[in-house]
Amino acid sequence: TISGVETAYKVLKKKGKIKDDINFVAFGGDGGTYDIGLQALSGAFERGHRFVYVLYDNEAYMNTGVQRSSATPYGASTTTAPAGKLHQGKEEWRKDITAIAVAHHIPYVAQASVSNLVDLYNKAEKAFNCKGPAFINVLQPCTLGWRYPMEKTIEMAKLAVESKFWTLFEVENGIYKLNYKPSKNVSVSEFMKSQGRFKHLFKPENKHIIDFIQKRTEEEWGKLLKLCGESS
């Protein structure tokens, strides 16, 4: 839809029917981006339409009943990947949608969080000023699906960043830049322990799942540091 609007704008401007410079922005959730809309989004990126796509990432299909999406973290319990006797939540690692956006060689890609509004503001400004498609993946905790007290939303988002569960970085014309490096070692379990979707993982028999998530998170962090030219 936004690629069609942007194309119509260019035609009308060429004909002199529009004089103003206009920016275009589209918002989508993780279900509509990681899953349902990925084909259309990929096409718009490949064709080079000038617009900003903001991914509102709360890690599940929250407004239709908390079903798992490919953004849902490993081990999280949802209505379609519930924790029970045979399975302990989602058994697949979440899709790296940000890397998929980078693979399209678009001018600007970034990850942000509602816990750092200055960083989010700066990334939005860069996105709107670039000459082509831009993509910002924003972590937005969901009190319903994550199952935590509503007043802890920013705390949840901040813990995600501090534990390296969610990283803040940008890729500008193919160049990676790390925007925030936690000064303290915060475990992923510290981020997960206040959320009902991970409650089952804190049973003694599921400790190996938390250990796996921690190990994989550290590995992903190491890969990002290398891409950004940073030391550990």
Side-chain angles (χ1 to χ4, degrees):
T1 300
I2 201 68
S3 61
V5 172
E6 186 261 358
T7 300
Y9 160 75
K10 287 192 294 187
V11 171
L12 292 172
K13 193 167 187 182
K14 187 176 181 180
K15 291 181 176 180
K17 295 184 178 181
I18 293 178
K19 304 294 184 184
D20 297 332
D21 291 327
I22 298 174
N23 287 321
F24 298 91
V25 60
F27 289 83
D30 53 277
T33 308
Y34 283 75
D35 302 333
I36 301 168
L38 183 58
Q39 179 185 18
L41 183 62
S42 176
F45 283 168
E46 189 274 332
R47 292 189 301 272
H49 296 281
R50 189 169 183 264
F51 70 101
V52 178
Y53 191 92
V54 181
L55 169 50
Y56 183 102
D57 196 338
N58 55 25
E59 302 187 328
Y61 289 85
M62 299 303 185
N63 64 342
T64 57
V66 194
Q67 298 91 349
R68 57 89 82 198
S69 76
S70 57
T72 302
Y74 185 93
S77 180
T78 69
T79 54
T80 52
K85 292 181 179 179
L86 297 178
H87 303 280
Q88 297 304 316
K90 184 167 176 270
E91 297 175 333
E92 301 81 24
W93 199 258
R94 65 186 175 193
K95 184 188 292 181
D96 192 347
I97 192 73
T98 307
I100 291 172
V102 172
H104 286 77
H105 307 293
I106 61 177
Y108 189 75
V109 177
Q111 278 194 181
S113 168
V114 294
S115 63
N116 192 328
L117 293 181
V118 173
D119 179 71
L120 178 56
Y121 177 92
N122 290 336
K123 287 170 177 173
E125 187 172 45
K126 284 186 178 182
F128 279 112
N129 286 326
C130 76
K131 303 301 181 182
F135 176 83
I136 307 178
N137 190 2
V138 185
L139 182 68
Q140 171 59 62
C142 175
T143 184
L144 175 66
W146 292 22
R147 286 181 276 157
Y148 64 85
M150 187 178 295
E151 66 274 12
K152 291 183 177 291
T153 291
I154 298 302
E155 180 183 332
M156 289 296 104
K158 186 174 182 180
L159 276 172
V161 173
E162 295 296 332
S163 66
K164 307 180 187 74
F165 176 88
W166 187 263
T167 50
L168 304 184
F169 67 96
E170 60 189 342
V171 185
E172 198 167 359
N173 296 313
I175 306 299
Y176 278 78
K177 180 183 178 182
L178 188 67
N179 304 118
Y180 180 75
K181 182 186 288 187
S183 58
K184 297 179 181 179
N185 286 323
V186 177
S187 67
V188 176
S189 62
E190 185 69 20
F191 162 67
M192 297 191 299
K193 69 181 182 181
S194 298
Q195 301 173 45
R197 62 177 179 163
F198 294 119
K199 183 180 179 180
H200 57 287
L201 297 184
F202 289 86
K203 297 176 181 178
E205 62 268 27
N206 288 331
K207 182 180 181 298
H208 67 284
I209 300 177
I210 293 180
D211 291 343
F212 170 74
I213 295 171
Q214 182 66 53
K215 182 175 182 292
R216 180 74 182 265
T217 299
E218 290 171 0
E219 290 173 352
E220 295 296 328
W221 174 249
K223 292 176 184 177
L224 178 61
L225 289 179
K226 287 183 179 179
L227 287 169
C228 296
E230 296 271 348
S231 58
S232 57

